[in-house]
Structure formats: C-alpha cells, structure tokens
Amino acid sequence: MEFPFDINQIFTERISFLDQNLVADRWTARRPDLQANLATVIDELGRASAKAQQLTAAVTSASKLQSQRHQLYLLKDGECSGGRGAVVGFLKVGHKKLFLLDRHGVHVEAEPLCVLDFYIAENLQRHGYGLELFDFMLQHKNVEPGRMAYDRPSPKLLSFLEKHYSLTQNVPQVNNFVVFEDFFFNRAAVQ
Ligand code: ACO
C-alpha cells in the first residue's frame, strides 16, 4: 500500500511494533506531522482489512489502538515507491479474558494472547509476508501459535494456520473465538 508521504520516515524498521502510545520510535514521537501520517496509515490498513473480510466496520484504527491495550506489528517494504517505501500489512494481537470449552465440554477460563486482526495487501498475499510477520510476533511474544486464540478467523487465516503451523483440530466454542487442541494442554479447568 502506497501513501503520499514517506513511509520510511515514519517506520524505520522493516517490522515496527506499536502499542497504545502510537509511537513507531522516539523520532516520530517528537514530530506531530509524522504522528498524523502514522495514524492515517493505521486507519487505512484497518479499512482495507475490514473490506477484505467483508466486515461492516473496521476493527483496527488509530483511535482504537490508543484506547484498547492491543498491539500491532506493521511490515513495510522500504525499497519500493522510489525509496519512500510502502506498507505490506499488519498483525494485531492482544490479551482477552475468555470462557472456553475444552474437547470434553469442560469450561476453561483463560486470558490468552489473541489474534485480533491480520492483513496483507491484496497484491502481496501468498508471498510469505504473512508468515514473516506472524513468526516475528511469535518470537517477540515468546508464544506458540497453538496456545493463542483467534477472533473470528477468516478461511484464509485458517488455511494459513494449517499450512504453516499444522493447526487443524479446532475445539468448538460458543463464542467467535477459535482455539486448537494444543491450547488446553496443562491448563486448569474452572471448578
Ligand atoms: N485463499 C486461501 N488461502 C490463502 C489465501 C487465499 N487467497 N491467501 C493466503 N492463504 C493462506 C494459504 O494457506 C496460503 O498457502 P498456499 O498459497 O500454499 O495455499 C498461505 O496463507 C500463504 O502464506 P503467506 O503467504 O505467509 O500468507 P499471506 O501473506 O497471504 O497472509 C493473510 C495471510 C494475512 C491471511 C492474508 O491472506 C490476508 O490478508 N487475507 C485477507 C484478510 C484476512 O482474511 N485476514 C485474517 C482475518 S481473521 C483475524 O485476523 C483473526
């Protein structure tokens, strides 16, 4: 995704980590113009992701990121657009308190790290960028994909998880989250 401003100036790393402070690095923190452009990028990505998933409203925006304690990884390609760089996609995660059912129907209360939104620009999908972003997050959070929960995963995300992490056996839930069998290993049931 290209923007009418310099992406490399806002995001200095190939993968940037953003939280509620909405600061890509110390440099952008002191530049209100760059902060405004950063918010434009997040809003645009959120809209594109919602459109790709046929959602009526975006689940990701700059203001939502500021108010909800979620975290976002943004992947850029710094080489293109005449050296200004372009945004490839993003992955948003956060902890949620969930009431889940294990495969015996026993209630389990947990607050796992959840995948809340995930998007790679249409023309760049199926080129391994999603895997690069996801693997970065797994290392950064030191978490296994099978120990995470997935909020309303799209068919593309389910296919992605099966292909790259062999996650196939999901355990039916009564909410919109999907978890896999690994999730329940060594987890206590609610008494
Ligand atoms: N149809 C089916 N499977 C797909 C597709 C597609 N169009 N695109 C990616 N995948 C899956 C497949 O398993 C694919 O492997 P294959 O090409 O051998 O079939 C694998 O992902 C490719 O892996 P990557 O190239 O690393 O993934 P990509 O860069 O495409 O990122 C993502 C995956 C984020 C799901 C991307 O396809 C995307 O943005 N899709 C649209 C938005 C979306 O559905 N996001 C998930 C929302 S749900 C949530 O966030 C909780």
Side-chain angles (χ1 to χ4, degrees):
M1 290 173 75
E2 298 192 359
F3 290 87
F5 43 77
D6 192 341
I7 288 298
N8 287 327
Q9 220 185 355
I10 309 171
F11 305 104
T12 49
E13 304 295 325
R14 181 168 168 83
I15 297 182
S16 298
F17 174 74
L18 296 163
D19 61 13
Q20 63 201 45
N21 296 318
L22 225 62
V23 171
D25 57 33
R26 271 186 244 136
W27 166 242
T28 49
R30 283 182 260 126
R31 289 274 306 269
D33 55 329
L34 296 186
Q35 282 295 102
N37 288 345
L38 187 149
T40 300
V41 170
I42 306 297
D43 289 347
E44 193 58 43
L45 282 170
R47 275 194 289 272
S49 179
K51 192 173 169 206
Q53 296 174 64
Q54 291 159 357
L55 303 176
T56 46
V59 293
T60 299
S61 68
S63 64
K64 285 193 166 105
L65 199 58
Q66 281 173 308
S67 63
Q68 303 167 328
R69 295 173 152 262
H70 299 154
Q71 298 166 335
L72 189 147
Y73 297 85
L74 183 144
L75 173 64
K76 72 164 186 181
D77 177 351
E79 308 289 310
C80 57
S81 304
R84 289 199 313 195
V87 176
V88 174
F90 76 100
L91 169 62
K92 189 173 78 172
V93 298
H95 286 274
K96 292 247 177 188
K97 192 166 193 165
L98 301 177
F99 294 92
L100 299 163
L101 299 171
D102 72 10
R103 76 193 122 108
H104 307 295
V106 176
H107 282 95
V108 172
E109 188 181 337
E111 198 166 348
L113 189 66
C114 304
V115 172
L116 303 170
D117 204 358
F118 189 18
Y119 175 73
I120 297 295
E122 308 299 326
N123 57 328
L124 299 175
Q125 289 174 17
R126 288 185 141 154
H127 285 71
Y129 292 115
L131 181 63
E132 180 180 352
L133 204 43
F134 208 92
D135 273 347
F136 183 95
M137 178 277 296
L138 293 177
Q139 278 202 16
H140 188 247
K141 293 286 184 189
N142 193 21
V143 65
E144 297 287 327
R147 305 292 282 184
M148 299 184 71
Y150 300 85
D151 189 1
R152 272 179 240 247
S154 65
K156 288 184 185 179
L157 177 56
L158 290 173
S159 168
F160 172 92
L161 293 171
E162 179 172 355
K163 179 187 168 103
H164 295 304
Y165 304 109
S166 305
L167 292 173
T168 50
Q169 302 295 317
N170 76 63
V171 182
Q173 302 299 319
V174 291
N175 55 27
N176 294 317
F177 284 82
V178 165
V179 288
F180 296 88
E181 285 198 333
D182 290 1
F183 186 90
F184 296 100
F185 289 146
N186 296 324
R187 245 182 238 275
V190 179
Q191 299 304 312

